[in-house]
Amino acid sequence: RDRRFSGGMSALLDSGAAAAHEAALRSAQHEAAEYLARFRQIGLLDGHALWAGGTVVEDPSVPGTDGDGEGIVRTIHFVRHGQGFHNLLADVYRANGKSFSSLGDDFSDSCPYRRHEIRDAPLTEIGRQQAMVLRPAARALRPELVVVSPLSRAVQTALLAFDHLRDGPEAVPFVAHGGVQEQGGVQRCDHRRPIAEIAREFPSLDLSALAPLGEADPLWNETKREPYAALCARARAFFEWLGQRPEREVAVVGHSAWLFTVLNAVLAVEGEAAPHGEGARRWFLTGELRTLRVRFRTSEL
């Protein structure tokens, strides 16, 4: 049910990578605790945002069939992008004693995610390595579709990790979808570039799903973070779109807050004994792959 490849930083270039891994773990623990506390504060964990059309299931031996009341079961390989420059900067800030909120409510100079230099932050060298470390695991999978956030770090991770699916007889579509984009607004690392720029940098990427959203990033707001209700609605719309597609095995490459919200507030996790924020619903590390099965109820699509 749960294949975890956290990026294997300790096996990468040098001892500095191990130190970076420890810093990333501390950041993940800190940010997961912040988001979980906010979710509890606003009542997001009480089930009101759950989508009736899909449930994460343990390991069904026989997938349901369309129209039988249970629906169809899809295998989804969720991946968080590798380390981006904003992640590195946050680790450096924290290592030097700077405190800041990761929730999009910190407008101070102490918040690295607001820096102009890291708009749509790309992967660092360690982030690229994390994506390439995923290749053996990715080759063992059989996704018929790779869906990515249109932010650069997610696209780069997808193209590097699933490189074998880009060309040749095994090639599958790589589709950018706005429903997978990170929570928007305030934090410039999450500010999408114009579609034309994305097309120039990633010419093989299918951007047709972005066209209805417009050239500019519709989620961007300089002073207001995307509300959680809107984030949940956007994620539900994405899964409705995914449930209507024919592919039964899909890779989805996205972001930490989006993934955390999906698994704690949008999709119910059937049979999960661990509390919110743990088990299958824990915070994704950079470069982590986690395979889950989702039952789509066709009556709700």
Side-chain angles (χ1 to χ4, degrees), residues 238-252:
F238 165 71
F239 284 107
E240 288 173 359
W241 172 85
L242 189 62
Q244 293 171 2
R245 290 189 62 98
E247 298 88 359
R248 298 299 178 91
E249 185 170 345
V250 180
V252 175

Side-chain angles (χ1 to χ4, degrees), residues 140-169:
L141 309 175
R142 293 291 180 267
E144 304 160 77
L145 170 70
V146 179
V147 185
V148 303
S149 157
L151 296 179
S152 294
R153 56 193 183 271
V155 179
Q156 291 173 316
T157 299
L159 295 177
L160 288 168
F162 295 95
D163 180 68
H164 65 293
L165 299 178
R166 296 174 63 183
D167 302 295

Side-chain angles (χ1 to χ4, degrees), residues 212-235:
L213 303 177
E215 185 71 15
D217 183 359
L219 301 179
W220 179 247
N221 187 307
E222 184 76 27
T223 60
K224 183 180 179 182
R225 192 71 164 162
E226 181 183 15
Y228 291 100
L231 174 60
C232 290
R234 184 160 57 86

Side-chain angles (χ1 to χ4, degrees), residues 28-76:
Q29 292 166 352
H30 179 89
E31 296 193 0
E34 279 191 315
Y35 272 88
L36 201 57
R38 180 58 57 85
F39 287 178
R40 290 195 177 104
Q41 179 186 30
I42 64 176
L44 196 58
L45 303 180
D46 64 9
H48 73 271
L50 288 176
W51 178 49
T55 304
V56 176
V57 294
E58 283 289 338
D59 189 12
S61 57
V62 181
T65 58
D66 291 336
D68 69 353
E70 290 298 319
I72 55 176
V73 174
R74 303 281 172 81
T75 298
I76 304 182

